Amino acid sequence: MQHVDRRRTAFVLVVLACLATAGGCAGFGGHEEPGPAAGSVPARAGRTALDNAARPSTWAPLLAAVALHATGADERLLRWAEDNRPVYRSAQSAETDGDRLRDLISLTALGAALVPRPEPTGAPWAVRPAVTVASVLAADAAANELKEVAGRRRPTGGNSRSFPSGDSTRAAASARAGERNLHGLVPKAAMRPARALLAGAAGLVAWARVEAGVHFPSDALAGYALGSFVAATVHDTVLGAPSIRTTFRPRAAGGWELVIGGRF
């Protein structure tokens, strides 16, 4: 059974890495904050997906995960982390501190989204926080689907939902959304340190899952790549819409509802 889990996980890892590498080659170019984009939503989604696949935050952790899994270093690094715990004091501390840090990243991303600012696309204020939440939920949903496909058992043997790490996915997605939301709020000179701080915090959350002994390092790396990619793609696709409009309309059952629409 363990050999089956390893083969399935290896297959998913290789497919993801190939997609990221192919997308990187096709979409290689600058990595500035995306501006308003023309075209339909599906067309924009394809372009932003290729662009975000070309980012090192997507392909670098994926290739590292493939290398760890292929060489058998995955289990060795896990055992070393459990024996030495270079960052967290104990497995319980890794669990607790990692959860707190993950929540702090999420609050940072949402807090930055709630700050009013003129949107390049003319989108109303409510769109950015909604996109921030949606991008993290989309990344989480993608991680859950991959867990079912890979069927990898956790190091503890508790269940077969080890790959990829959901906490790592959510932390990386929140960090990427937070980075996008900080654009225009902080000076350009401060963006690089802010980006590094958010990425580093998400990396600490991913590593906490390893020191806690509940995920292999490749689980954490793949989750980081997935969260970063999905969140950036959702954000860039929706907030790149040339015309997003909001209307309030009455509901048949009573009350009102907010409708956010664009050109699809």
Side-chain angles (χ1 to χ4, degrees):
M1 183 65 179
Q2 186 177 2
H3 294 300
V4 175
D5 292 346
R6 283 181 59 84
R7 286 197 297 268
R8 290 172 65 182
T9 304
F11 174 75
V12 174
L13 266 173
V14 170
V15 169
L16 291 175
C18 289
L19 288 174
T21 304
C25 293
F28 184 77
H31 298 311
E32 297 299 321
E33 172 69 1
S40 66
V41 167
R44 284 198 308 276
R47 288 195 299 270
T48 57
L50 287 175
D51 183 64
N52 285 304
R55 296 176 186 272
S57 58
T58 299
W59 57 259
L62 267 183
L63 292 181
V66 170
L68 285 174
H69 194 75
T71 60
D74 217 7
E75 291 83 358
R76 294 196 297 271
L77 183 55
L78 169 66
R79 301 310 167 206
W80 178 86
E82 289 180 315
D83 292 341
N84 296 275
R85 293 204 170 86
V87 178
Y88 301 95
R89 298 183 303 276
S90 64
Q92 182 60 46
S93 174
E95 287 261 18
T96 304
D97 295 346
D99 288 349
R100 289 173 178 167
L101 186 55
R102 181 202 62 213
D103 294 343
L104 180 60
I105 299 171
S106 299
L107 288 173
T108 300
L110 186 57
L114 290 170
V115 178
R117 94 240 8 232
E119 295 286 357
T121 59
W125 169 83
V127 170
R128 183 171 288 268
V131 169
T132 298
V133 173
S135 65
V136 178
L137 291 177
D140 196 41
N144 285 329
E145 288 299 318
L146 283 177
K147 284 176 183 288
E148 296 298 327
V149 173
R152 188 185 200 183
R153 271 197 186 279
R154 291 182 184 270
T156 58
N159 59 47
S160 57
R161 293 177 58 81
S162 187
F163 179 90
S165 165
D167 285 87
S168 178
T169 300
R170 287 188 290 274
S174 296
R176 184 62 63 200
E179 178 230 320
R180 290 291 198 269
N181 293 337
L182 285 175
H183 276 277
L185 295 183
V186 300
K188 284 189 175 181
M191 271 309 303
R192 181 167 293 180
R195 185 184 298 116
L197 186 62
L198 285 167
L204 285 173
V205 173
W207 180 251
R209 307 303 290 165
V210 179
E211 285 198 21
V214 294
H215 280 290
F216 293 99
S218 60
D219 300 337
L221 286 165
Y224 188 101
L226 179 67
S228 180
F229 170 77
V230 173
T233 300
V234 170
H235 176 283
D236 298 348
T237 298
V238 178
L239 287 181
S243 58
I244 298 179
R245 61 188 181 277
T246 58
T247 56
F248 284 95
R249 67 185 183 192
R251 300 176 57 186
W256 294 78
E257 61 183 358
L258 172 66
V259 179
I260 301 176
R263 188 177 64 177
F264 288 80

